[in-house]
Amino acid sequence: MLVIKVTMIAGRTAEQKADPIHRLTDAAARRLDWPLDEVRVIIYEVSKDHWGIAGRSVTERERYPQAT
């Protein structure tokens, strides 16, 4: 079994998550010559409060985009 773990900021719809699940599964099966039914994709969703970029959370960056 092959497991692909994806971490992304929460808030996407089920439909938006379905596309990368399909594409990652297909790409891994083709490139690694792995059976399609042996590929697993797990999406971990992280809140904007728990995702930091350059020392600030995404929530903070959205509230105060010009702050340094």
Side-chain angles (χ1 to χ4, degrees):
M1 176 177 14
L2 174 67
V3 178
I4 301 169
K5 298 178 181 181
V6 178
T7 305
M8 63 175 62
I9 293 174
R12 290 170 180 84
T13 66
E15 292 80 18
Q16 289 172 313
K17 291 181 267 189
D19 185 55
I21 288 172
H22 171 76
R23 288 175 183 247
L24 289 167
T25 300
D26 185 59
R30 281 187 293 109
R31 298 295 260 159
L32 300 173
D33 194 28
W34 208 272
L36 196 64
D37 60 342
E38 293 280 329
V39 179
R40 309 292 190 264
V41 177
I42 302 168
I43 295 178
Y44 296 93
E45 293 185 287
V46 179
S47 77
K48 291 179 179 183
D49 293 334
H50 297 157
W51 192 292
I53 302 170
R56 296 188 303 143
S57 72
V58 172
T59 302
E60 184 181 357
R61 291 170 62 90
E62 288 177 348
R63 275 193 206 132
Y64 310 105
Q66 301 302 323
T68 57

